[in-house]
Amino acid sequence: MNKETYNLLLVDDHQLVIDGIKSMLSDDKRYLVKNIATNGQQALDIIKNSPESFDIVITDITMPLMNGIELCKNIKEEFASLKVMVLSMHNSIGIVKEAIAADADGYMLKNIGQDEFLFGLTKLVEDGSYYSQEIAPIIFRQYHRSKQDSPVINLSPREKEILSLISLELTSKEIADKLFISKQTVDTHRINIMQKTNSKSVVGLIKYAIQAGISG
């Protein structure tokens, strides 16, 4: 995504959290809170009514009617291009694994400060995903165990190098600077890697990198 303004749907059943997020975003003109919902079902109804109105969904997990995991699954099945950032108090391995399995594009904990929250959103829109420092190790532990079962894909040395840097959550610009190549070249490699590995998102690329033993 490359836009001047990103429209957000906030999903949380606690008004205090909604107000807090709005406050954190109030001085940043890149992010506009377009609508709010207090449960997953309400959020899904809002999206279905006007899917083109939103770029990012920020959702809690524990909510009535439909939780955040189910909401994420439904969004990714029907509106794959819509980014989903989980913002939750849960940091248990089981919950994080469910979010990853639902193809959440990011996961942040509610105890983070404003700087990391805005940094996470920036990483999400610039490079497709963001998992906070407390969450990233869970992903690596989970998928590192199964790397023996990963199919071998014929990636070029440069593609493997770029995939390794993607697994470290570097942006295309950061990768380009590190390898002394253009951002456009990195983006082209990224598309080719996603096609070869049958990955639909950056999260999918990270999963593959870990399973294939290519992670940085």
Side-chain angles (χ1 to χ4, degrees):
M1 290 189 289
N2 186 14
K3 303 172 62 176
E4 290 186 3
T5 303
Y6 298 93
N7 293 326
L8 277 57
L9 172 62
L10 305 184
V11 191
D12 200 296
D13 59 339
H14 292 92
Q15 188 62 44
L16 190 64
V17 174
I18 294 291
D19 291 343
I21 295 174
K22 284 184 174 180
S23 177
M24 285 193 288
L25 296 174
S26 60
D27 294 329
D28 196 322
K29 304 305 180 185
R30 293 173 298 174
Y31 306 109
L32 174 66
V33 177
K34 193 77 171 179
N35 210 334
I36 62 172
T38 57
N39 62 71
Q41 185 59 62
Q42 183 185 18
L44 191 59
D45 291 342
I46 291 171
I47 295 168
K48 286 182 176 181
N49 186 55
S50 184
E52 71 283 352
S53 297
F54 305 100
D55 301 300
I56 303 170
V57 176
I58 300 177
T59 182
D60 191 14
I61 290 180
T62 305
M63 298 179 293
L65 297 183
M66 180 188 293
N67 64 39
I69 301 296
E70 290 301 316
L71 172 61
C72 184
K73 289 178 181 177
N74 278 280
I75 289 173
K76 290 302 178 180
E77 287 175 359
E78 299 185 51
F79 314 99
S81 63
L82 186 55
K83 295 295 183 182
V84 180
M85 172 68 78
V86 174
L87 182 64
S88 173
M89 61 181 290
H90 297 291
N91 63 352
S92 67
I93 293 176
I95 296 294
V96 174
K97 283 168 58 177
E98 287 186 24
I100 295 169
D103 285 330
D105 300 290
Y107 198 120
M108 294 191 287
L109 297 177
K110 285 185 175 179
N111 62 1
I112 61 172
Q114 180 175 359
D115 288 345
E116 184 177 352
F117 180 73
L118 293 175
F119 176 78
L121 284 183
T122 299
K123 292 282 282 188
L124 182 70
V125 299
E126 288 185 354
D127 222 41
S129 72
Y130 178 73
Y131 284 81
S132 63
Q133 292 182 350
E134 297 93 337
I135 300 302
I138 297 176
I139 303 174
F140 277 80
R141 285 198 301 271
Q142 168 65 16
Y143 290 98
H144 188 269
R145 294 192 189 101
S146 58
K147 70 178 184 179
Q148 299 283 345
D149 301 324
S150 176
V152 177
I153 302 295
N154 186 27
L155 299 179
S156 70
R158 176 63 93 184
E159 287 171 341
K160 289 180 180 178
E161 187 175 25
I162 289 174
L163 180 55
S164 175
L165 295 173
I166 290 173
S167 76
L168 296 176
E169 294 195 270
L170 270 65
T171 66
S172 291
K173 179 65 166 58
E174 291 168 337
I175 294 173
D177 292 343
K178 190 176 184 66
L179 299 181
F180 303 102
I181 57 178
S182 71
K183 179 181 178 296
Q184 183 178 1
T185 299
V186 174
D187 288 337
T188 299
H189 280 303
R190 183 189 293 268
I191 292 170
N192 291 337
I193 295 168
M194 292 183 75
Q195 290 175 341
K196 286 184 177 182
T197 60
N198 197 30
S199 300
K200 297 179 181 179
S201 65
V202 174
V203 178
L205 287 179
I206 294 173
K207 290 178 185 177
Y208 177 84
I210 297 167
Q211 290 174 328
I214 301 174
S215 56

